[in-house]
Amino acid sequence: MSNDLPEDLIVEIFSRLPTKSLLRFRSVSKSLCACIGSPGFIQLHALRSPKKVTIIYKIRCDKLVYTSLPENELSYNPYSGVKPLEYPFESFRIVGSCNGILCVYESGKGLNLWNPSIRRKVAVPDLRSSGDFLVHGFGFDSIIDDYKILRITRRKSFVYTLKTRTWREIASPNIPFSNVEPQSCIFNGALHWVVNKTDVFDVCNNSYIMTFDLSSEVFSTIDLPVPHWETNGVTIIKGSLAVISTNRHGRSWIWVRRVYNKIAASWSRAFEVNKYINPFKGVRGVFVRATNGDLLFKNCKVVGAYDLVNQIERRVQILTCSSSVVDMNVCDESLELLDMGTSCDQGSKSPGKEEKQNK
């Protein structure tokens, strides 16, 4: 085929195909396999691929399974009819997602990087002597072109880089905090969490946003809008940082932080949530559906979608009447981790770069 079509046209065509097809086409020829596995092609493919909603369910006998569907295929029908796949982790917590990779903390086993689109995972060596962790974070450093995992313990902080496969100690945040949101939000190359101040007991003003720049590895803070009451995590709405706050009467507002003149930034109320159906009280982790702007969230063992314009809440598809949602995340479809780690299907290492390095 390469004799009949120019290489740039082949890349143009194949970069628009789903990962499932690309994995099959790697066996066509050595040149095509090398092309699909190249960093440039993987990056281009990720830019052109749809975002996927990954939902983890608990079914009979506490078995965990998951579905991963493009946003435009997500249904509001009672039952999806989608065949689930076996979830490769047991007792777990999703740390975050970036470029199609989910960072998953598995209780008693440690951290893993997992790509649900190609079902590959990479185990991260644990820091057994670091003490109990307060929070993990995961993201991509565009300066050094590498993925990083952050771990903050009560006394120290560490960063893990995927290319070096090593942990190193860094300077810790200089403001004591507690009650960190389990999932961070990546915005402008930095991780963002809502945290509580340990020495302030005013319920309405005891929280702030802690940030961690993935390139400079420096912590900073952002004040929340006042009054912010109970703030349910950080998300991104129309290219701006946003938070959802709920007062003691159960009413919620969505605040958006807009930057003016590339310097000053301020919070403004962008939306008021329908007070009669308010679905955001107690919610942790809100994602924006790119296809229509709906807010996706997990609440009461189901995934809901909230229409900001019409102020309507709908439940997203479920597997069966007895299944319950354990967690969810929205990430890109990508080929990241293609020649790394192990396959979740076979449990064997790929015949790629790692095996060649071990020879």
Side-chain angles (χ1 to χ4, degrees):
M1 182 174 62
S2 59
N3 295 328
D4 300 326
L5 295 174
E7 183 177 348
D8 57 347
L9 183 56
I10 294 175
V11 172
E12 183 71 19
I13 294 172
F14 276 71
S15 64
R16 301 178 186 276
L17 297 178
T19 54
K20 188 175 181 179
S21 300
L22 292 173
L23 293 178
R24 294 201 310 268
F25 292 149
R26 293 187 83 200
S27 61
V28 171
S29 67
K30 289 184 178 180
S31 60
L32 189 55
C33 180
C35 173
I36 293 173
S38 66
F41 180 88
I42 291 175
Q43 184 178 23
L44 178 63
H45 176 264
L47 291 173
R48 293 177 171 177
S49 295
K51 287 190 175 295
K52 282 191 167 183
V53 180
T54 299
I55 305 175
I56 300 102
Y57 299 88
K58 180 182 290 186
I59 56 175
R60 61 186 182 279
C61 301
D62 290 338
K63 181 179 180 180
L64 295 177
V65 297
Y66 76 97
T67 60
S68 189
L69 293 174
E71 286 185 326
N72 60 351
E73 294 182 17
L74 204 62
S75 171
Y76 295 119
N77 295 325
Y79 301 103
S80 64
V82 177
K83 183 179 179 181
L85 299 172
E86 183 177 351
Y87 191 64
F89 308 104
E90 295 177 356
S91 178
F92 73 97
R93 179 174 55 82
I94 296 178
V95 173
S97 67
C98 183
N99 298 338
I101 302 174
L102 291 178
C103 182
V104 181
Y105 178 78
E106 192 171 17
S107 180
K109 296 183 179 180
L111 291 159
N112 287 271
L113 299 179
W114 174 54
N115 185 335
S117 296
I118 60 174
R119 289 184 58 76
R120 297 200 70 81
K121 63 179 180 179
V122 174
V124 176
D126 197 12
L127 275 171
R128 298 190 181 279
S129 60
S130 65
D132 294 336
F133 70 89
L134 294 176
V135 64
H136 282 121
F138 170 66
F140 183 75
D141 181 351
S142 60
I143 302 298
I144 65 171
D145 191 34
D146 199 5
Y147 291 96
K148 291 181 176 180
I149 299 175
L150 170 71
R151 168 177 279 190
I152 306 174
T153 70
R154 297 188 183 279
R155 296 183 178 180
K156 299 179 180 180
S157 297
F158 303 87
V159 163
Y160 174 88
T161 51
L162 182 58
K163 287 182 179 179
T164 64
R165 304 292 181 91
T166 57
W167 290 92
R168 53 186 171 78
E169 187 176 347
I170 63 169
S172 293
N174 55 17
I175 301 177
F177 65 91
S178 62
N179 297 333
V180 188
E181 292 295 317
Q183 289 195 39
S184 59
C185 171
I186 302 177
F187 181 70
N188 285 347
L191 300 173
H192 294 67
W193 302 264
V194 172
V195 301
N196 288 347
K197 301 174 184 177
T198 57
D199 54 350
V200 176
F201 301 98
D202 181 359
V203 177
C204 294
N205 295 292
N206 71 337
S207 301
Y208 63 94
I209 294 176
M210 180 176 69
T211 69
F212 176 74
D213 189 296
L214 287 159
S215 296
S216 66
E217 298 181 354
V218 173
F219 291 94
S220 187
T221 63
I222 298 175
D223 290 332
L224 286 167
V226 179
H228 52 256
W229 304 294
E230 177 188 351
T231 302
N232 301 344
V234 191
T235 189
I236 301 169
I237 295 178
K238 296 182 179 179
S240 297
L241 201 66
V243 295
I244 302 174
S245 63
T246 304
N247 67 13
R248 61 179 179 272
H249 303 296
R251 297 182 65 183
S252 294
W253 286 265
I254 298 174
W255 298 78
V256 174
R257 190 172 188 263
R258 294 188 172 91
V259 178
Y260 300 95
N261 299 324
K262 299 182 180 180
I263 300 176
S266 63
W267 293 99
S268 61
R269 289 188 188 183
F271 303 95
E272 181 176 358
V273 179
N274 188 327
K275 63 181 179 181
Y276 298 107
I277 63 169
N278 184 4
F280 295 112
K281 184 170 178 57
V283 166
R284 296 293 183 265
V286 177
F287 306 90
V288 179
R289 187 176 179 183
T291 51
N292 60 8
D294 285 358
L295 299 184
L296 297 175
F297 56 91
K298 173 189 169 290
N299 197 357
C300 298
K301 299 183 179 181
V302 299
V303 173
Y306 184 77
D307 184 334
L308 289 170
V309 177
N310 299 309
Q311 297 192 349
I312 299 173
E313 179 198 4
R314 291 179 288 183
R315 288 189 177 183
V316 175
Q317 62 197 27
I318 59 176
L319 290 178
T320 65
C321 60
S322 60
S323 64
S324 61
V325 175
V326 179
D327 210 340
M328 65 160 292
N329 204 287
V330 177
C331 60
D332 300 318
E333 179 179 1
S334 80
L335 292 165
E336 294 287 349
L337 308 182
L338 181 60
D339 287 318
M340 301 178 66
T342 58
S343 168
C344 298
D345 295 316
Q346 301 175 357
S348 59
K349 288 187 176 181
S350 71
K353 297 179 182 177
E354 284 197 340
E355 288 189 356
K356 291 179 182 178
Q357 291 173 353
N358 292 334
K359 289 183 179 181

